[in-house]
Amino acid sequence: MVVAAEEKFDSMLLHIAQQHDGIQPLFDTFFGFLRRKTDFYTGAQKSQAESLVMKAFKNHLNIALKEKAAKEETDKFDKPMPQAEPATIEEITTDGAKANPVPIPEPEELSKPVDESKLEEGEESEKGKLVPNNCNGANYPHYSFTQTLEELEVRVPLKANFKVKSRDCKVDIREKFLSVGSRTRILLSAVKPTLKSLPMKPCGTLTITPLC
């Protein structure tokens, strides 16, 4: 059986692979073995050595692609059909509204300016600033933010009347530019000199959280 013959050395090869840190060291070991213990590079077939390697590579590449396509096709038909939601009865008032409407969350209270009359000596730098929210940030009309020593989280309400997915959002983070919006409008835009330089390292996790 072809499959059984192909898997004959799997346990041995798996043991060898586990002794290497990545695919490149594994290749170095295999081709080094051919160099040290065979005449693969210098024997009668030395002119065909590279073509033999590429032939084997292309053969297994084609097999892998066909197996992947077949698996994806099988998974497509194996997915369970979505279950229909059971019918429900809702009480309707005389004016046509639902008796128990879904509550809409109240917007967060906007941050207020610091009361300069209550500042103590040495706190002059706080003049003109806003009172921070509970997470050392601030709440503005169109967005809010919280921060720690290591992270900054910016929340921008989309105010959309449909279920929002990540592809509906556009976020652009650069060293001196920050923009957040939907496919149809910009909701937050900050540019130099409003921003200090943003650290250009892996960042910017986009999370969509339903508000109701």
Side-chain angles (χ1 to χ4, degrees):
M1 187 175 180
V2 176
V3 175
E6 188 177 50
E7 296 177 352
K8 180 178 180 180
F9 301 104
D10 278 4
S11 59
M12 182 188 305
L13 293 172
L14 182 60
H15 176 74
I16 295 174
Q18 291 173 341
Q19 309 304 311
H20 294 78
D21 186 19
I23 192 67
Q24 186 61 54
L26 179 62
F27 282 160
D28 288 340
T29 296
F30 178 71
F31 286 106
F33 168 77
L34 293 178
R35 171 180 54 81
R36 292 179 292 101
K37 300 298 183 180
T38 74
D39 62 349
F40 179 71
Y41 299 103
T42 59
Q45 292 184 328
K46 62 181 180 180
S47 61
Q48 303 177 13
E50 183 175 353
S51 62
L52 288 173
V53 173
M54 291 306 300
K55 180 180 179 180
F57 169 78
K58 292 179 179 179
N59 176 46
H60 288 281
L61 172 62
N62 291 332
I63 295 174
L65 293 177
K66 291 179 181 178
E67 290 175 343
K68 180 182 179 182
K71 183 178 184 304
E72 291 177 347
E73 189 70 18
T74 301
D75 291 345
K76 184 190 303 184
F77 291 101
D78 287 345
K79 289 182 178 180
M81 293 294 292
Q83 297 294 325
E85 297 184 1
T88 58
I89 299 176
E90 296 180 346
E91 180 183 355
I92 305 298
T93 60
T94 54
D95 59 358
K98 293 182 181 180
N100 297 304
V102 177
I104 299 176
E106 294 293 331
E108 295 183 80
E109 184 179 355
L110 299 181
S111 297
K112 299 178 180 179
V114 171
D115 187 348
E116 298 183 4
S117 64
K118 296 182 180 181
L119 294 178
E120 299 180 359
E121 184 178 353
E123 295 183 339
E124 291 79 6
S125 61
E126 298 299 314
K127 291 183 179 180
K129 295 184 178 180
L130 298 176
V131 177
N133 56 25
N134 294 334
C135 297
N136 197 33
N139 301 329
Y140 294 93
H142 302 296
Y143 74 98
S144 64
F145 76 92
T146 60
Q147 60 182 340
T148 64
L149 292 176
E150 297 179 349
E151 296 181 343
L152 170 67
E153 179 178 307
V154 180
R155 296 187 176 187
V156 183
L158 296 180
K159 299 178 181 179
N161 57 358
F162 56 89
K163 185 176 181 180
V164 179
K165 298 183 179 179
S166 58
R167 64 171 178 266
D168 298 316
C169 304
K170 292 187 177 181
V171 180
D172 190 2
I173 301 176
R174 306 180 192 179
E175 185 177 4
K176 289 289 186 179
F177 177 81
L178 172 63
S179 174
V180 180
S182 64
R183 289 185 292 180
T184 58
R185 57 176 176 162
I186 298 297
L187 299 171
L188 170 63
S189 179
V191 297
K192 182 181 180 181
T194 305
L195 290 176
K196 293 184 178 180
S197 294
L198 295 172
M200 301 314 294
K201 59 182 181 180
C203 63
T205 300
L206 175 62
T207 303
I208 299 175
T209 304
L211 296 180
C212 58

